[in-house]
Amino acid sequence: QVQVEESGGGLVQAGGSLRLSCTVRGLSIRSYSMGWFRQAPGKEREAISCNNWLTSVTYYADSVKGRFTISTDNVQNTLYLQMNNVKSDDTAMYYCAARVSYGADTCRGLQETTWGQGTRVTVSS
């Protein structure tokens, strides 16, 4: 059984930084596409960044390009999201997803995607 657990959320001031972590059990993140999504209050869940260790293709939503960086630690089987220069619009629940479908311009969940419970990020102005 695949388990996904996010951590690292919290309260951060606008312009600050935060790093989210996603620990995965039951699946090697080297073999699957992984992603970060977020859902702000009153809005639909959106894909933030997705990647696959085997390819050089990484997806970033326009809203986070140049500020957020996705990375992996294959030894720890952990996915990260480094968030820099955060803005109030980045306030949301952030979810890690294992086994997603993505390309250079899009990323989405699948029926077989395993989601974490989420970690909340609040940006204060």
Side-chain angles (χ1 to χ4, degrees), residues 26-73:
L27 173 153
S28 173
I29 64 173
R30 295 178 59 174
S31 302
Y32 293 90
S33 298
M34 304 289 298
W36 286 98
F37 294 71
R38 70 184 181 188
Q39 186 167 18
K43 296 186 177 180
E44 294 185 354
R45 185 161 55 189
E46 61 172 342
I48 294 301
S49 182
C50 300
N51 78 346
N52 185 306
W53 183 77
L54 295 175
T55 76
S56 61
V57 178
T58 301
Y59 167 80
Y60 288 104
D62 288 341
S63 58
V64 305
K65 279 181 181 177
R67 301 188 299 120
F68 291 10
T69 303
I70 191 172
S71 64
T72 60
D73 182 332

Side-chain angles (χ1 to χ4, degrees), residues 69-125:
T69 303
I70 191 172
S71 64
T72 60
D73 182 332
N74 295 323
V75 174
Q76 298 295 327
N77 212 43
T78 299
L79 184 75
Y80 298 101
L81 183 70
Q82 178 67 42
M83 306 168 59
N84 296 330
N85 189 24
V86 297
K87 306 175 181 180
S88 57
D89 288 347
D90 295 323
T91 294
M93 185 71 83
Y94 284 72
Y95 298 92
C96 178
R99 293 177 293 193
V100 300
S101 174
Y102 85 103
D105 301 318
T106 186
C107 179
R108 62 183 178 89
L110 302 169
Q111 187 173 4
E112 59 264 35
T113 295
T114 300
W115 300 90
Q117 293 298 307
T119 185
R120 186 174 301 279
V121 174
T122 303
V123 181
S124 63
S125 57

